Amino acid sequence: MATLDLISAGLTSVRQGQNRISGAASDIARAALPVDPVAATAQPAQPATGQAAASTPVETARPVNLVDSLVELQQGRQQAEAGASVIDTADEVLGTLLDVTA
């Protein structure tokens, strides 16, 4: 049914918007951190075992452009809102179809 495809497309759009927002927000938060070359190469250790907590180091030394991150944040918000509007419209259409056939 086409209505279920619309709901699925809306959910996909909301999820992509959320991922975009999350990435932009982490970039913005990372921009506020001071650059520490020692911390950029260090791997955190697990308290219980003393072994490395992550198998790959976290990249914190990458430069962040705040303007691009803020634009990405707004685009993610708009994408999530557009997906929510698609879901609302598909829900209304499905409700109308059910009312007509009942």
Side-chain angles (χ1 to χ4, degrees), residues 4 7 10 13 18 23-24 33-34 36 39 41 44 48-49 63 66-69 73 76 79 82-84 87 95:
L4 295 178
I7 292 173
S13 180
Q18 287 175 333
L33 296 176
D36 184 8
T41 59
T49 63
L66 285 178
V67 173
D68 290 342
S69 296
L73 188 69
Q79 185 176 10
I87 293 169

PDB file of all heavy atoms in Angstrom, residues 4 7 10 13 18 23-24 33-34 36 39 41 44 48-49 63 66-69 73 76 79 82-84 87 95:
ATOM      1  N   LEU A   4       1.683   3.101   3.395  1.00  0.00           N
ATOM      2  CA  LEU A   4       2.727   2.530   4.245  1.00  0.00           C
ATOM      3  C   LEU A   4       4.115   2.871   3.708  1.00  0.00           C
ATOM      4  O   LEU A   4       5.055   3.053   4.491  1.00  0.00           O
ATOM      5  CB  LEU A   4       2.539   1.021   4.361  1.00  0.00           C
ATOM      6  CG  LEU A   4       1.254   0.578   5.072  1.00  0.00           C
ATOM      7  CD1 LEU A   4       1.153  -0.932   5.090  1.00  0.00           C
ATOM      8  CD2 LEU A   4       1.204   1.137   6.476  1.00  0.00           C
ATOM      9  N   ILE A   7       4.822   6.357   4.957  1.00  0.00           N
ATOM     10  CA  ILE A   7       5.200   6.347   6.379  1.00  0.00           C
ATOM     11  C   ILE A   7       6.647   5.882   6.528  1.00  0.00           C
ATOM     12  O   ILE A   7       7.428   6.464   7.287  1.00  0.00           O
ATOM     13  CB  ILE A   7       4.227   5.482   7.200  1.00  0.00           C
ATOM     14  CG1 ILE A   7       2.852   6.145   7.231  1.00  0.00           C
ATOM     15  CG2 ILE A   7       4.753   5.267   8.617  1.00  0.00           C
ATOM     16  CD1 ILE A   7       1.772   5.303   7.874  1.00  0.00           C
ATOM     17  N   GLY A  10       8.905   8.647   5.446  1.00  0.00           N
ATOM     18  CA  GLY A  10       8.935   9.676   6.478  1.00  0.00           C
ATOM     19  C   GLY A  10       9.828   9.284   7.642  1.00  0.00           C
ATOM     20  O   GLY A  10      10.608  10.098   8.143  1.00  0.00           O
ATOM     21  N   SER A  13      13.431   9.586   6.636  1.00  0.00           N
ATOM     22  CA  SER A  13      13.842  10.989   6.610  1.00  0.00           C
ATOM     23  C   SER A  13      14.086  11.522   8.021  1.00  0.00           C
ATOM     24  O   SER A  13      15.058  12.244   8.264  1.00  0.00           O
ATOM     25  CB  SER A  13      12.789  11.832   5.901  1.00  0.00           C
ATOM     26  OG  SER A  13      13.159  13.175   5.872  1.00  0.00           O
ATOM     27  N   GLN A  18      17.953  13.056  12.197  1.00  0.00           N
ATOM     28  CA  GLN A  18      18.502  12.899  13.537  1.00  0.00           C
ATOM     29  C   GLN A  18      19.998  12.586  13.492  1.00  0.00           C
ATOM     30  O   GLN A  18      20.775  13.108  14.297  1.00  0.00           O
ATOM     31  CB  GLN A  18      17.767  11.796  14.295  1.00  0.00           C
ATOM     32  CG  GLN A  18      16.384  12.188  14.727  1.00  0.00           C
ATOM     33  CD  GLN A  18      15.637  11.021  15.382  1.00  0.00           C
ATOM     34  OE1 GLN A  18      15.909   9.859  15.105  1.00  0.00           O
ATOM     35  NE2 GLN A  18      14.689  11.354  16.233  1.00  0.00           N
ATOM     36  N   GLY A  23      25.575  14.386  14.320  1.00  0.00           N
ATOM     37  CA  GLY A  23      26.925  14.629  13.823  1.00  0.00           C
ATOM     38  C   GLY A  23      27.320  16.094  13.928  1.00  0.00           C
ATOM     39  O   GLY A  23      28.434  16.422  14.341  1.00  0.00           O
ATOM     40  N   ALA A  24      26.394  16.974  13.556  1.00  0.00           N
ATOM     41  CA  ALA A  24      26.684  18.407  13.626  1.00  0.00           C
ATOM     42  C   ALA A  24      26.859  18.845  15.073  1.00  0.00           C
ATOM     43  O   ALA A  24      27.745  19.650  15.383  1.00  0.00           O
ATOM     44  CB  ALA A  24      25.569  19.204  12.957  1.00  0.00           C
ATOM     45  N   LEU A  33      36.376  22.298  22.592  1.00  0.00           N
ATOM     46  CA  LEU A  33      37.447  21.658  23.353  1.00  0.00           C
ATOM     47  C   LEU A  33      38.801  22.213  22.942  1.00  0.00           C
ATOM     48  O   LEU A  33      39.040  22.465  21.758  1.00  0.00           O
ATOM     49  CB  LEU A  33      37.434  20.143  23.107  1.00  0.00           C
ATOM     50  CG  LEU A  33      36.203  19.395  23.592  1.00  0.00           C
ATOM     51  CD1 LEU A  33      36.295  17.937  23.180  1.00  0.00           C
ATOM     52  CD2 LEU A  33      36.066  19.510  25.094  1.00  0.00           C
ATOM     53  N   PRO A  34      39.703  22.392  23.890  1.00  0.00           N
ATOM     54  CA  PRO A  34      41.054  22.839  23.525  1.00  0.00           C
ATOM     55  C   PRO A  34      41.796  21.712  22.803  1.00  0.00           C
ATOM     56  O   PRO A  34      41.565  20.536  23.067  1.00  0.00           O
ATOM     57  CB  PRO A  34      41.709  23.153  24.862  1.00  0.00           C
ATOM     58  CG  PRO A  34      40.944  22.350  25.854  1.00  0.00           C
ATOM     59  CD  PRO A  34      39.541  22.226  25.313  1.00  0.00           C
ATOM     60  N   ASP A  36      44.624  19.332  22.326  1.00  0.00           N
ATOM     61  CA  ASP A  36      45.674  18.732  23.141  1.00  0.00           C
ATOM     62  C   ASP A  36      46.280  17.581  22.335  1.00  0.00           C
ATOM     63  O   ASP A  36      45.647  16.540  22.171  1.00  0.00           O
ATOM     64  CB  ASP A  36      45.089  18.229  24.461  1.00  0.00           C
ATOM     65  CG  ASP A  36      46.143  17.676  25.397  1.00  0.00           C
ATOM     66  OD1 ASP A  36      47.348  17.812  25.094  1.00  0.00           O
ATOM     67  OD2 ASP A  36      45.764  17.103  26.428  1.00  0.00           O
ATOM     68  N   ALA A  39      46.288  14.155  24.159  1.00  0.00           N
ATOM     69  CA  ALA A  39      44.979  13.527  24.306  1.00  0.00           C
ATOM     70  C   ALA A  39      44.449  13.015  22.976  1.00  0.00           C
ATOM     71  O   ALA A  39      43.675  12.068  22.932  1.00  0.00           O
ATOM     72  CB  ALA A  39      43.981  14.506  24.912  1.00  0.00           C
ATOM     73  N   THR A  41      46.087  11.464  20.681  1.00  0.00           N
ATOM     74  CA  THR A  41      46.666  10.172  20.332  1.00  0.00           C
ATOM     75  C   THR A  41      46.458   9.125  21.416  1.00  0.00           C
ATOM     76  O   THR A  41      46.673   7.949  21.184  1.00  0.00           O
ATOM     77  CB  THR A  41      48.175  10.322  20.072  1.00  0.00           C
ATOM     78  OG1 THR A  41      48.794  10.848  21.242  1.00  0.00           O
ATOM     79  CG2 THR A  41      48.433  11.239  18.884  1.00  0.00           C
ATOM     80  N   PRO A  44      41.707   5.805  25.823  1.00  0.00           N
ATOM     81  CA  PRO A  44      41.277   5.617  27.205  1.00  0.00           C
ATOM     82  C   PRO A  44      41.342   4.143  27.600  1.00  0.00           C
ATOM     83  O   PRO A  44      41.149   3.261  26.775  1.00  0.00           O
ATOM     84  CB  PRO A  44      39.838   6.128  27.200  1.00  0.00           C
ATOM     85  CG  PRO A  44      39.408   6.103  25.779  1.00  0.00           C
ATOM     86  CD  PRO A  44      40.643   6.245  24.956  1.00  0.00           C
ATOM     87  N   ALA A  48      38.513  -1.403  34.991  1.00  0.00           N
ATOM     88  CA  ALA A  48      38.638  -2.711  35.631  1.00  0.00           C
ATOM     89  C   ALA A  48      39.860  -3.486  35.141  1.00  0.00           C
ATOM     90  O   ALA A  48      40.545  -4.138  35.922  1.00  0.00           O
ATOM     91  CB  ALA A  48      37.377  -3.527  35.385  1.00  0.00           C
ATOM     92  N   THR A  49      40.142  -3.422  33.844  1.00  0.00           N
ATOM     93  CA  THR A  49      41.202  -4.262  33.287  1.00  0.00           C
ATOM     94  C   THR A  49      42.457  -3.500  32.919  1.00  0.00           C
ATOM     95  O   THR A  49      43.526  -4.091  32.785  1.00  0.00           O
ATOM     96  CB  THR A  49      40.691  -4.984  32.027  1.00  0.00           C
ATOM     97  OG1 THR A  49      40.364  -4.002  31.041  1.00  0.00           O
ATOM     98  CG2 THR A  49      39.489  -5.851  32.339  1.00  0.00           C
ATOM     99  N   PRO A  63      40.008  19.742  12.416  1.00  0.00           N
ATOM    100  CA  PRO A  63      39.462  21.097  12.551  1.00  0.00           C
ATOM    101  C   PRO A  63      37.958  21.112  12.280  1.00  0.00           C
ATOM    102  O   PRO A  63      37.455  20.356  11.458  1.00  0.00           O
ATOM    103  CB  PRO A  63      40.225  21.907  11.508  1.00  0.00           C
ATOM    104  CG  PRO A  63      40.753  20.909  10.542  1.00  0.00           C
ATOM    105  CD  PRO A  63      40.921  19.625  11.301  1.00  0.00           C
ATOM    106  N   LEU A  66      32.620  25.937  12.329  1.00  0.00           N
ATOM    107  CA  LEU A  66      31.356  26.125  13.037  1.00  0.00           C
ATOM    108  C   LEU A  66      30.222  26.528  12.109  1.00  0.00           C
ATOM    109  O   LEU A  66      29.077  26.111  12.312  1.00  0.00           O
ATOM    110  CB  LEU A  66      31.520  27.170  14.144  1.00  0.00           C
ATOM    111  CG  LEU A  66      32.261  26.694  15.376  1.00  0.00           C
ATOM    112  CD1 LEU A  66      32.397  27.826  16.384  1.00  0.00           C
ATOM    113  CD2 LEU A  66      31.566  25.521  16.009  1.00  0.00           C
ATOM    114  N   VAL A  67      30.516  27.312  11.084  1.00  0.00           N
ATOM    115  CA  VAL A  67      29.459  27.738  10.164  1.00  0.00           C
ATOM    116  C   VAL A  67      28.877  26.532   9.441  1.00  0.00           C
ATOM    117  O   VAL A  67      27.656  26.359   9.364  1.00  0.00           O
ATOM    118  CB  VAL A  67      30.000  28.782   9.162  1.00  0.00           C
ATOM    119  CG1 VAL A  67      28.966  29.111   8.103  1.00  0.00           C
ATOM    120  CG2 VAL A  67      30.437  30.038   9.889  1.00  0.00           C
ATOM    121  N   ASP A  68      29.751  25.655   8.932  1.00  0.00           N
ATOM    122  CA  ASP A  68      29.268  24.452   8.255  1.00  0.00           C
ATOM    123  C   ASP A  68      28.484  23.551   9.209  1.00  0.00           C
ATOM    124  O   ASP A  68      27.471  22.961   8.841  1.00  0.00           O
ATOM    125  CB  ASP A  68      30.430  23.669   7.658  1.00  0.00           C
ATOM    126  CG  ASP A  68      31.060  24.375   6.460  1.00  0.00           C
ATOM    127  OD1 ASP A  68      30.407  25.276   5.897  1.00  0.00           O
ATOM    128  OD2 ASP A  68      32.208  24.019   6.110  1.00  0.00           O
ATOM    129  N   SER A  69      28.959  23.452  10.440  1.00  0.00           N
ATOM    130  CA  SER A  69      28.274  22.606  11.422  1.00  0.00           C
ATOM    131  C   SER A  69      26.906  23.167  11.775  1.00  0.00           C
ATOM    132  O   SER A  69      25.935  22.420  11.917  1.00  0.00           O
ATOM    133  CB  SER A  69      29.112  22.467  12.685  1.00  0.00           C
ATOM    134  OG  SER A  69      30.309  21.799  12.397  1.00  0.00           O
ATOM    135  N   LEU A  73      23.347  21.454  11.096  1.00  0.00           N
ATOM    136  CA  LEU A  73      22.381  21.302  12.176  1.00  0.00           C
ATOM    137  C   LEU A  73      20.986  21.748  11.738  1.00  0.00           C
ATOM    138  O   LEU A  73      19.988  21.056  11.969  1.00  0.00           O
ATOM    139  CB  LEU A  73      22.848  22.100  13.391  1.00  0.00           C
ATOM    140  CG  LEU A  73      22.094  21.932  14.695  1.00  0.00           C
ATOM    141  CD1 LEU A  73      22.333  20.552  15.265  1.00  0.00           C
ATOM    142  CD2 LEU A  73      22.535  22.985  15.691  1.00  0.00           C
ATOM    143  N   GLY A  76      19.541  19.327   9.161  1.00  0.00           N
ATOM    144  CA  GLY A  76      19.060  18.117   9.822  1.00  0.00           C
ATOM    145  C   GLY A  76      17.713  18.347  10.492  1.00  0.00           C
ATOM    146  O   GLY A  76      16.825  17.497  10.429  1.00  0.00           O
ATOM    147  N   GLN A  79      15.124  18.502   7.771  1.00  0.00           N
ATOM    148  CA  GLN A  79      14.895  17.175   7.218  1.00  0.00           C
ATOM    149  C   GLN A  79      14.015  16.347   8.147  1.00  0.00           C
ATOM    150  O   GLN A  79      13.097  15.659   7.697  1.00  0.00           O
ATOM    151  CB  GLN A  79      16.228  16.470   6.985  1.00  0.00           C
ATOM    152  CG  GLN A  79      16.109  15.129   6.295  1.00  0.00           C
ATOM    153  CD  GLN A  79      17.464  14.516   5.988  1.00  0.00           C
ATOM    154  OE1 GLN A  79      18.500  15.001   6.457  1.00  0.00           O
ATOM    155  NE2 GLN A  79      17.472  13.475   5.197  1.00  0.00           N
ATOM    156  N   ALA A  82      10.475  17.702   7.917  1.00  0.00           N
ATOM    157  CA  ALA A  82       9.836  17.299   6.664  1.00  0.00           C
ATOM    158  C   ALA A  82       9.384  15.843   6.743  1.00  0.00           C
ATOM    159  O   ALA A  82       8.277  15.498   6.295  1.00  0.00           O
ATOM    160  CB  ALA A  82      10.790  17.491   5.490  1.00  0.00           C
ATOM    161  N   GLY A  83      10.204  14.994   7.329  1.00  0.00           N
ATOM    162  CA  GLY A  83       9.819  13.588   7.499  1.00  0.00           C
ATOM    163  C   GLY A  83       8.613  13.450   8.405  1.00  0.00           C
ATOM    164  O   GLY A  83       7.711  12.634   8.147  1.00  0.00           O
ATOM    165  N   ALA A  84       8.550  14.247   9.456  1.00  0.00           N
ATOM    166  CA  ALA A  84       7.399  14.210  10.364  1.00  0.00           C
ATOM    167  C   ALA A  84       6.140  14.688   9.646  1.00  0.00           C
ATOM    168  O   ALA A  84       5.043  14.132   9.862  1.00  0.00           O
ATOM    169  CB  ALA A  84       7.664  15.069  11.593  1.00  0.00           C
ATOM    170  N   ILE A  87       4.877  11.871   7.531  1.00  0.00           N
ATOM    171  CA  ILE A  87       4.199  10.871   8.360  1.00  0.00           C
ATOM    172  C   ILE A  87       2.798  11.353   8.737  1.00  0.00           C
ATOM    173  O   ILE A  87       1.830  10.588   8.673  1.00  0.00           O
ATOM    174  CB  ILE A  87       5.041  10.548   9.613  1.00  0.00           C
ATOM    175  CG1 ILE A  87       6.329   9.842   9.216  1.00  0.00           C
ATOM    176  CG2 ILE A  87       4.245   9.697  10.595  1.00  0.00           C
ATOM    177  CD1 ILE A  87       7.329   9.709  10.335  1.00  0.00           C
ATOM    178  N   GLY A  95      -6.261   7.474   7.477  1.00  0.00           N
ATOM    179  CA  GLY A  95      -7.496   7.636   8.244  1.00  0.00           C
ATOM    180  C   GLY A  95      -8.684   7.938   7.353  1.00  0.00           C
ATOM    181  O   GLY A  95      -9.784   7.405   7.547  1.00  0.00           O
TER     182      GLY A  95
END
